[in-house]
Amino acid sequence: MIVIDKLCYCSRLRYVNASEKFLYTAATLAICVAGRSFAAAAAAFAVNGILTVRKGGIPLSRYIRLLMMPLAFLIPGSAAVIVNVSKMPLDAFAFPVGDWYITGSRDSIREGALLWAVAFSAVSCLYFLSLNTTMTDILEVLRKLHVPALLIELMMLIYRFIFVLLETASAIEISQKSRLGDRNFRTKARAFGSLGSCLFIRAFRRANALYDAMESRCYDGTIRVLSGERPVKRKEICYIAVFEIILLAVTIGSRAI
Amino acid sequence: MSHTEDWVIEAENLSYSYEGNDRKALDGLSVRIGRGRKVAFMGGNGSGKSTFFLCLNGILRPDEGRVLVDGEPVSYTRKGLLDVRKRVGIVFQEPDNQLFSASVFQEISFGILNLGADEETARREVERVIRELYITPFKDRPAHALSGGQKKQVAIADILVMHPQVMILDEPASALDAVHTKKVHELVNRLTEQGITVLMSLHDIDYAWSWADEIVLMHEGKVIRQGTPREICEDENVLKKAGLERPAVLRIYEKLINKGMLSGSEIPGSMDELAEMLS
């Protein structure tokens, strides 16, 4: 998560209007997931990759490593779809184990492959958004979509304080290590416990201090801030519209076959 | 001492103790601050500086005594508090406790929007402050990627955008390197040029000597002495009580006078001035 945060601030697409990126992501994601078409998924995956790596300037190796992350879910997920245990062998493959077969059908292999395709295209959509859009910009879009202000304010504060608390935690950890807190399992466990409680108390104090600081700037219960939104570009909207129409056509076309 | 009667802040006999704590954080504190002055608050940890500051813009309400801002007693109604917080701004010691947004632009816009400015004015003001406080090079970075000094600059901008009459800086140089300390001090000097009264708590007597119009010495929740740096630094007993030593420049100057290496003229206001006298 921290890596993604660092990358999105360096992305060359960072200053593209966030609503546009959000719209593109949402539409592409919807078509890929609802359409369940190989061709559309492949097209979306390719375009997202090009946009993120070529246009956005995210390093390819980083992007590939990030794409590997959902494998942990995908492999067992598709195995469950493809592999069956039954007394009757199915048409694609079958390994006898005693009286039983570990087996799978052609349909289920197709199903499993489609699962991979759709999952990767969906993940690439979300990476496109999160690698090229800062959290504050995404919150700005949510505000426009009339997500309740309370939720947005919470997200805003949580996002800011994740980093503050991480910093505090790592400082405490270093000071524990420098006093041999990680000497063996026992001391490690104790150090970790006190780190947790210490962090909790500090978070509490920080919350109080933050409230005081906000109050001294006339906080009245609603966080009002200016957005730093960039203008919408008509050209980009046209590109998005054209791409989504093509994607939709590909989906419908490939399903008709 | 100044002869002005134009007090921007008057505190009369303030007492305050924190919940669950018998010791009084403020214990009959009285002080008056003239408009446009540069005032250094000095005293050991726990002498009540930060508590006093929180009383000045109504974050804490003193158990006894009263605070007057611009000659008017602080009213603890919603509107009264809004009014006093508009006039008296605090830059907190720890910027991580003050910056709540990851975006610098959002962060700075918070205060002025709370004052009811319309979006266009607010945008203009935020942009002006960003320019004036040299924030432009890092204005697009998230708060967690800023250095301590940069966070401090943003924290000052947070308050400055609200056009306060009095600006309080709670140990602005704590945890800053020499370069950023200097930068913060430059910013503070520009505030006073704009006519803003600056109250600053600090531990560096050498800086207080060269910067302040007045020094307020605090000890155990009371003001034990208020005066010009010269008046304060002549009184070694009171300095000792506040846990302070005399400024280095003063000590060197006096040694030089005693040894006959310098003829007693004007007392130097800073190391640079002393160096000038020697050349």
Side-chain angles (χ1 to χ4, degrees), chain A residues 81-121:
Chain A
V81 171
I82 296 170
V83 181
N84 279 302
V85 179
S86 121
K87 285 204 163 171
M88 290 286 291
L90 296 170
D91 54 356
F93 64 90
F95 304 105
V97 181
D99 285 348
W100 297 71
Y101 291 93
I102 294 174
T103 181
S105 69
R106 290 225 167 87
D107 277 352
S108 65
I109 286 180
R110 212 189 106 80
E111 189 69 20
L114 190 61
L115 187 70
W116 277 64
V118 171
F120 270 108
S121 68

Coordinates of all heavy atoms in Angstrom, one line a residue, chain A residues 81-121:
Chain A
V81 N -12.4 -24.2 -9.2 CA -13.4 -24.3 -10.3 C -13.0 -25.5 -11.3 O -13.9 -26.2 -11.7 CB -13.3 -23.0 -11.1 CG1 -14.1 -23.1 -12.4 CG2 -13.8 -21.8 -10.3
I82 N -11.7 -25.7 -11.5 CA -11.3 -26.6 -12.5 C -11.3 -28.1 -12.0 O -11.7 -29.0 -12.6 CB -9.9 -26.3 -13.1 CG1 -10.0 -24.9 -13.8 CG2 -9.4 -27.3 -14.0 CD1 -8.6 -24.3 -14.2
V83 N -10.7 -28.2 -10.8 CA -10.4 -29.6 -10.3 C -11.6 -30.2 -9.6 O -12.2 -29.5 -8.7 CB -9.2 -29.6 -9.4 CG1 -8.9 -31.0 -8.9 CG2 -8.0 -29.0 -10.1
N84 N -12.0 -31.3 -10.0 CA -13.1 -32.0 -9.3 C -12.6 -33.4 -8.8 O -11.7 -33.9 -9.3 CB -14.2 -32.3 -10.4 CG -15.1 -31.1 -10.6 OD1 -15.7 -30.6 -9.6 ND2 -15.2 -30.7 -11.8
V85 N -13.3 -33.9 -7.8 CA -13.0 -35.2 -7.3 C -14.3 -36.0 -7.6 O -15.4 -35.6 -7.0 CB -12.6 -35.3 -5.9 CG1 -12.4 -36.7 -5.4 CG2 -11.4 -34.4 -5.6
S86 N -14.3 -37.0 -8.4 CA -15.5 -37.7 -8.7 C -15.2 -39.2 -9.1 O -14.1 -39.6 -9.3 CB -16.2 -37.0 -9.9 OG -16.4 -37.8 -10.9
K87 N -16.3 -40.0 -9.1 CA -16.1 -41.4 -9.5 C -16.0 -41.6 -11.0 O -15.5 -42.6 -11.5 CB -17.2 -42.3 -8.9 CG -17.0 -42.5 -7.4 CD -17.7 -43.7 -6.9 CE -17.2 -44.1 -5.5 NZ -17.9 -45.1 -4.8
M88 N -16.6 -40.6 -11.7 CA -16.6 -40.6 -13.1 C -15.5 -39.7 -13.7 O -15.5 -38.5 -13.3 CB -17.9 -40.2 -13.7 CG -19.1 -41.2 -13.4 SD -18.9 -42.6 -14.5 CE -19.4 -41.8 -16.0
P89 N -14.6 -40.2 -14.6 CA -13.7 -39.2 -15.2 C -14.4 -38.2 -16.2 O -15.4 -38.6 -16.8 CB -12.8 -40.1 -16.0 CG -13.5 -41.4 -16.2 CD -14.5 -41.5 -15.1
L90 N -13.9 -37.0 -16.1 CA -14.5 -35.9 -17.0 C -13.7 -35.8 -18.3 O -12.6 -36.4 -18.4 CB -14.7 -34.6 -16.3 CG -15.6 -34.7 -15.1 CD1 -15.5 -33.4 -14.3 CD2 -17.0 -34.9 -15.5
D91 N -14.2 -35.0 -19.2 CA -13.6 -35.0 -20.6 C -12.2 -34.4 -20.7 O -11.5 -34.8 -21.7 CB -14.6 -34.4 -21.6 CG -15.0 -33.0 -21.2 OD1 -14.6 -32.6 -20.1 OD2 -15.7 -32.4 -22.0
A92 N -11.8 -33.5 -19.9 CA -10.5 -32.9 -20.1 C -9.3 -33.6 -19.6 O -8.4 -33.9 -20.3 CB -10.5 -31.5 -19.5
F93 N -9.3 -34.0 -18.3 CA -8.2 -34.8 -17.8 C -8.8 -35.6 -16.6 O -9.8 -35.3 -16.0 CB -7.1 -33.9 -17.3 CG -7.4 -33.0 -16.2 CD1 -7.3 -33.3 -14.9 CD2 -7.9 -31.7 -16.5 CE1 -7.6 -32.5 -13.9 CE2 -8.3 -30.8 -15.5 CZ -8.1 -31.2 -14.2
A94 N -8.0 -36.7 -16.3 CA -8.5 -37.5 -15.1 C -7.3 -38.3 -14.6 O -6.6 -38.9 -15.4 CB -9.6 -38.4 -15.5
F95 N -7.0 -38.2 -13.3 CA -6.0 -39.0 -12.7 C -6.7 -39.9 -11.7 O -7.3 -39.5 -10.8 CB -5.0 -38.1 -11.9 CG -4.3 -37.1 -12.8 CD1 -4.7 -35.8 -12.7 CD2 -3.3 -37.5 -13.7 CE1 -4.1 -34.8 -13.6 CE2 -2.8 -36.5 -14.6 CZ -3.1 -35.2 -14.5
P96 N -6.5 -41.2 -11.9 CA -7.1 -42.1 -10.9 C -6.4 -42.2 -9.6 O -5.2 -42.2 -9.5 CB -7.0 -43.5 -11.6 CG -5.9 -43.3 -12.6 CD -5.7 -41.9 -12.9
V97 N -7.2 -42.1 -8.5 CA -6.7 -42.3 -7.2 C -7.6 -43.3 -6.5 O -8.7 -42.9 -6.1 CB -6.7 -40.9 -6.4 CG1 -6.2 -41.2 -5.0 CG2 -6.0 -39.9 -7.1
G98 N -7.2 -44.5 -6.4 CA -8.0 -45.6 -5.9 C -9.2 -45.7 -6.8 O -9.1 -45.8 -8.1
D99 N -10.4 -45.7 -6.2 CA -11.7 -45.8 -7.0 C -12.1 -44.5 -7.6 O -13.0 -44.4 -8.4 CB -12.8 -46.3 -6.0 CG -12.7 -47.7 -5.7 OD1 -11.9 -48.4 -6.4 OD2 -13.4 -48.2 -4.8
W100 N -11.4 -43.4 -7.1 CA -11.8 -42.0 -7.5 C -11.0 -41.4 -8.5 O -9.9 -41.9 -8.8 CB -11.9 -41.1 -6.2 CG -12.9 -41.6 -5.2 CD1 -12.8 -42.7 -4.4 CD2 -14.1 -40.9 -4.9 NE1 -13.8 -42.7 -3.6 CE2 -14.7 -41.7 -3.9 CE3 -14.8 -39.8 -5.4 CZ2 -15.9 -41.4 -3.3 CZ3 -16.0 -39.4 -4.8 CH2 -16.5 -40.2 -3.8
Y101 N -11.4 -40.3 -9.1 CA -10.6 -39.6 -10.1 C -10.5 -38.2 -9.6 O -11.4 -37.6 -9.2 CB -11.2 -39.6 -11.5 CG -11.3 -41.0 -12.1 CD1 -12.4 -41.8 -12.0 CD2 -10.1 -41.4 -12.9 CE1 -12.4 -43.0 -12.6 CE2 -10.2 -42.6 -13.5 CZ -11.3 -43.5 -13.4 OH -11.3 -44.7 -14.0
I102 N -9.2 -37.6 -9.8 CA -9.1 -36.2 -9.8 C -9.2 -35.8 -11.2 O -8.4 -36.1 -12.1 CB -7.7 -35.8 -9.2 CG1 -7.7 -36.2 -7.7 CG2 -7.5 -34.3 -9.3 CD1 -6.3 -36.0 -7.1
T103 N -10.3 -35.0 -11.5 CA -10.6 -34.8 -12.9 C -11.2 -33.4 -13.2 O -11.5 -32.7 -12.2 CB -11.6 -35.9 -13.3 OG1 -12.0 -35.8 -14.7 CG2 -12.9 -35.8 -12.5
G104 N -11.3 -33.1 -14.5 CA -11.9 -31.8 -14.8 C -12.5 -31.8 -16.2 O -12.1 -32.6 -17.0
S105 N -13.4 -30.9 -16.4 CA -14.1 -30.9 -17.7 C -13.5 -29.8 -18.6 O -12.9 -28.8 -18.1 CB -15.6 -30.7 -17.6 OG -15.8 -29.4 -17.1
R106 N -13.7 -29.9 -19.9 CA -13.3 -28.8 -20.8 C -14.0 -27.5 -20.4 O -13.4 -26.4 -20.4 CB -13.6 -29.1 -22.2 CG -12.8 -30.3 -22.8 CD -12.3 -29.9 -24.2 NE -11.3 -30.9 -24.5 CZ -11.5 -32.1 -25.1 NH1 -12.7 -32.4 -25.4 NH2 -10.5 -32.9 -25.4
D107 N -15.3 -27.5 -20.1 CA -16.0 -26.4 -19.7 C -15.4 -25.7 -18.5 O -15.3 -24.5 -18.4 CB -17.5 -26.7 -19.4 CG -18.3 -26.8 -20.7 OD1 -17.7 -26.4 -21.8 OD2 -19.4 -27.2 -20.7
S108 N -15.1 -26.5 -17.5 CA -14.6 -25.9 -16.3 C -13.2 -25.3 -16.5 O -12.8 -24.3 -15.9 CB -14.5 -26.9 -15.1 OG -13.6 -27.9 -15.4
I109 N -12.4 -25.9 -17.4 CA -11.1 -25.2 -17.8 C -11.3 -23.9 -18.4 O -10.7 -22.9 -18.1 CB -10.3 -26.2 -18.7 CG1 -9.7 -27.4 -17.9 CG2 -9.1 -25.4 -19.3 CD1 -8.9 -28.3 -18.7
R110 N -12.3 -23.9 -19.3 CA -12.6 -22.6 -20.0 C -13.1 -21.6 -18.9 O -12.7 -20.4 -18.9 CB -13.8 -22.8 -21.0 CG -13.7 -21.9 -22.2 CD -15.0 -22.0 -23.0 NE -15.8 -20.9 -22.8 CZ -15.6 -19.7 -23.4 NH1 -14.6 -19.6 -24.3 NH2 -16.4 -18.7 -23.2
E111 N -13.9 -22.1 -18.0 CA -14.4 -21.2 -16.9 C -13.2 -20.7 -16.1 O -13.2 -19.5 -15.8 CB -15.3 -22.1 -16.0 CG -16.1 -21.4 -15.0 CD -17.2 -20.5 -15.6 OE1 -17.6 -20.7 -16.8 OE2 -17.6 -19.5 -14.9
G112 N -12.3 -21.6 -15.7 CA -11.1 -21.2 -14.9 C -10.3 -20.1 -15.7 O -9.8 -19.1 -15.1
A113 N -10.1 -20.4 -17.0 CA -9.3 -19.4 -17.7 C -10.0 -18.1 -17.8 O -9.3 -17.0 -17.7 CB -9.1 -20.0 -19.1
L114 N -11.3 -18.1 -18.0 CA -12.0 -16.8 -18.0 C -11.9 -16.1 -16.7 O -11.8 -14.8 -16.6 CB -13.5 -17.1 -18.3 CG -14.3 -15.9 -18.7 CD1 -13.8 -15.2 -19.9 CD2 -15.8 -16.3 -18.9
L115 N -11.9 -16.9 -15.6 CA -11.8 -16.3 -14.3 C -10.5 -15.5 -14.2 O -10.4 -14.4 -13.7 CB -11.8 -17.4 -13.2 CG -11.8 -16.9 -11.8 CD1 -13.2 -16.3 -11.5 CD2 -11.6 -18.1 -10.9
W116 N -9.4 -16.1 -14.7 CA -8.1 -15.5 -14.7 C -8.1 -14.2 -15.5 O -7.7 -13.2 -15.1 CB -7.0 -16.4 -15.3 CG -6.5 -17.4 -14.3 CD1 -7.1 -18.3 -13.6 CD2 -5.1 -17.4 -13.8 NE1 -6.3 -19.0 -12.8 CE2 -5.1 -18.5 -12.9 CE3 -4.0 -16.7 -14.0 CZ2 -3.9 -18.8 -12.2 CZ3 -2.8 -17.0 -13.4 CH2 -2.8 -18.0 -12.4
A117 N -8.7 -14.3 -16.7 CA -8.7 -13.1 -17.6 C -9.5 -12.0 -17.0 O -9.0 -10.9 -16.9 CB -9.3 -13.5 -18.9
V118 N -10.7 -12.3 -16.4 CA -11.5 -11.2 -15.9 C -10.8 -10.7 -14.6 O -10.7 -9.4 -14.4 CB -12.9 -11.8 -15.5 CG1 -13.7 -10.8 -14.7 CG2 -13.6 -12.1 -16.8
A119 N -10.2 -11.5 -13.8 CA -9.6 -11.1 -12.6 C -8.4 -10.1 -12.9 O -8.3 -9.0 -12.3 CB -9.1 -12.2 -11.8
F120 N -7.6 -10.6 -13.9 CA -6.4 -9.7 -14.2 C -6.9 -8.4 -14.8 O -6.3 -7.3 -14.5 CB -5.4 -10.4 -15.1 CG -4.4 -11.2 -14.3 CD1 -4.4 -12.5 -14.3 CD2 -3.4 -10.5 -13.6 CE1 -3.5 -13.2 -13.5 CE2 -2.5 -11.1 -12.9 CZ -2.5 -12.5 -12.8
S121 N -7.9 -8.4 -15.7 CA -8.3 -7.1 -16.2 C -8.9 -6.2 -15.2 O -8.6 -5.0 -15.1 CB -9.3 -7.4 -17.4 OG -10.6 -7.9 -16.8

